[in-house]
Amino acid sequence: MPTLFDSLTLGDITLKNRIIMAPLTRMRSKQPGNIPYALNAEYYAQRATAGLIISEATQITQQGQGYPATPGIHSPEQVAGWKLVTEAVHKEGGKIFLQLWHVGRISHSSHQPEGGLPVAPSAIKPSGKVFTADWKQLPYETPRALETNEIAGIVADYKKAAENAKAAGFDGVEVHSANGYLLDQFLQDGSNTRTDQYGGSIENRARFLLEVTDAVIGVWGKGRVGVRLSPYGTFNDMSDSNPVKLFNYVLEQLGKRGIAYAHVIEPRATGAGGGDAVSDDLPSTSDLFRKSFTGVFMSAGGYDAQNATQAVASGQVDAVAFGRIFIANPDLPERLKEGAALNPYNRATFYGGAEVGYTDYPFLNSKAA
Ligand SMILES: Cc1cc2nc3c(=O)[nH]c(=O)nc-3n(C[C@H](O)[C@H](O)[C@H](O)COP(=O)(O)O)c2cc1C
């Protein structure tokens, strides 16, 4: 029976274990310019014992930004900053993919080029509040629906960002199509009411994601590209009339492309970025979707030592991504292996700030404490 500590072939690379560091936005890039710097490099290097680190979501363009101090991958300074991170992780024997991000309507004009409105598949305002560029929380604005002829430009932005990720020394990229951001907004019919070839049928709503995936494969090759999805996710005001049909179609199409892995968030932990509630009565993604995807199936959301061990042993999933507990436990693989106690995480320091709640969580042998 496979364990969390077995190696795993993921497309073109081999992971030393199946314990993945989930992508985690921390809003700590250097200002101005949203540039990764030495502190971010230290944070990721501390976690290099993960089989794979997936970076925090990283905007592909200024238009793709929706929160203050999230890093980008569209300026030469950002590429140089990410190089510090990838070199530090590689020096510690780790592997790291960059998560490519466009937030779509989950933004505010204060983040947008020339103060324009955020863009989206349709002019549907999400409920809830946005973080403005100066860290205020305001109601969302009604986004501007993208013109059909603008979409190819955003596909090209993803391609350019994937090229930049290569220049920055990453091992691969993950396309962020989860959690109610732009690509997910196109997939789900609660946010997409378009009548062109990017709206309506499931095939049409999946078109943008598949075009982006193909463009990124063109840069990296299929063996170094993963895609993240969140079926049934309600975070960022998402909904779909038939998620089982939609996400099975998407996973089949991604499987046909032979990508390195599909990364699926369990509905039970859809709101982990904003709260701690875990609902155990929601469907399991591996039950609903695994059969549709032929490659490596990575799952995230509400895992601990026990249920992760069981999910890998039963073959339900191939690898498990840990979010909140990886924030608080830089040496998580070692702790899981030894059955050691875990440091509790402090939600108050998830977003923004510097070392506190970021690089100062103690190691088992208090290497960094
Ligand atoms: C502070 C924080 C930031 C997050 N940022 C991202 C992100 O940048 N990209 C993403 O795909 N998911 C993000 N998530 C979701 C996590 O990757 C993960 O799916 C979620 O936390 C559930 O896993 P967990 O129960 O192990 O924490 C974030 C979650 C948290 C708590």
Side-chain angles (χ1 to χ4, degrees):
M1 278 193 309
T3 78
L4 284 169
F5 309 101
D6 292 344
S7 67
L8 178 69
T9 301
L10 190 88
D12 292 351
I13 63 175
T14 302
L15 309 186
K16 61 192 168 205
N17 61 49
R18 294 154 183 243
I19 300 164
I20 313 299
M21 179 177 169
L24 293 158
T25 289
R26 307 301 307 275
M27 293 154 71
R28 280 169 165 87
S29 65
K30 195 172 72 183
Q31 301 305 312
N34 303 316
I35 301 165
Y37 71 115
L39 182 67
N40 310 128
E42 182 188 347
Y43 160 78
Y44 281 112
Q46 286 179 339
R47 288 158 180 76
T49 55
L52 178 68
I53 294 172
I54 301 164
S55 82
E56 65 208 273
T58 298
Q59 57 264 6
I60 58 165
T61 50
Q62 190 53 51
Q63 187 192 65
Q65 182 172 4
Y67 301 84
T70 55
I73 186 78
H74 52 89
S75 77
E77 294 78 14
Q78 290 162 351
V79 172
W82 278 119
K83 242 186 225 165
L84 299 177
V85 173
T86 60
E87 282 169 9
V89 168
H90 290 151
K91 200 164 149 234
E92 294 296 321
K95 291 200 159 61
I96 180 165
F97 275 35
L98 180 74
Q99 193 184 49
L100 296 171
W101 195 27
H102 189 309
V103 297
R105 67 181 184 171
I106 304 300
S107 185
H108 182 259
S109 45
S110 61
H111 297 293
Q112 293 296 308
E114 289 149 39
L117 283 173
V119 299
S122 304
I124 301 172
K125 178 166 108 147
S127 64
K129 288 191 172 171
V130 65
F131 259 116
T132 65
D134 55 1
W135 299 81
K136 290 205 183 77
Q137 287 208 277
L138 295 179
Y140 284 102
E141 298 157 322
T142 302
R144 174 176 75 78
L146 285 161
E147 302 291 336
T148 307
N149 64 14
E150 287 179 280
I151 291 180
I154 300 181
V155 175
D157 292 337
Y158 274 96
K159 179 161 184 271
K160 180 70 192 152
E163 287 166 358
N164 288 343
K166 212 169 198 182
F170 283 94
D171 297 292
V173 288
E174 177 175 286
V175 175
H176 192 351
S177 185
N179 294 347
Y181 298 109
L182 184 67
L183 296 172
D184 198 23
Q185 290 160 27
F186 270 81
L187 289 179
Q188 302 204 44
D189 58 16
S191 45
N192 182 347
T193 56
R194 299 176 72 89
T195 53
D196 64 1
Q197 67 267 38
Y198 294 97
S201 67
I202 283 177
E203 290 77 5
N204 281 356
R205 284 183 274 133
R207 191 178 310 282
F208 189 14
L209 166 61
L210 296 174
E211 287 179 354
V212 166
T213 305
D214 289 337
V216 169
I217 289 173
V219 176
W220 278 93
K222 63 185 180 177
R224 287 176 185 267
V225 173
V227 173
R228 196 168 212 223
L229 301 167
S230 51
Y232 282 101
T234 52
F235 182 61
N236 284 331
D237 203 11
M238 294 304 288
S239 64
D240 189 76
S241 57
N242 193 342
V244 172
K245 199 163 166 215
L246 168 66
F247 285 98
N248 274 313
Y249 172 79
V250 170
L251 283 160
E252 269 163 33
Q253 294 300 313
L254 293 172
K256 278 187 193 160
R257 285 161 171 79
I259 58 170
Y261 66 93
H263 186 178
V264 184
I265 304 174
E266 296 298 330
R268 64 186 174 212
T270 175
D276 288 328
V278 168
S279 333
D280 279 323
D281 53 348
L282 291 171
S284 135
T285 64
S286 49
D287 289 350
L288 291 172
F289 304 110
R290 175 149 205 172
K291 63 179 184 328
S292 305
F293 187 72
T294 39
V296 169
F297 195 90
M298 188 186 291
S299 170
Y303 283 100
D304 55 24
Q306 203 187 347
N307 61 3
T309 301
Q310 198 266 331
V312 169
S314 67
Q316 251 181 306
V317 308
D318 299 306
V320 174
F322 296 88
R324 290 164 288 181
I325 65 174
F326 229 132
I327 289 178
N329 295 276
D331 51 359
L332 184 64
E334 188 186 347
R335 287 177 192 254
L336 294 179
K337 193 157 200 177
E338 294 187 10
L342 299 181
N343 300 321
Y345 57 80
N346 177 8
R347 184 170 285 279
T349 53
F350 277 180
Y351 303 114
E355 290 86 352
V356 177
Y358 191 53
T359 48
D360 65 350
Y361 281 107
F363 284 70
L364 263 186
N365 304 316
S366 71
K367 196 165 105 190

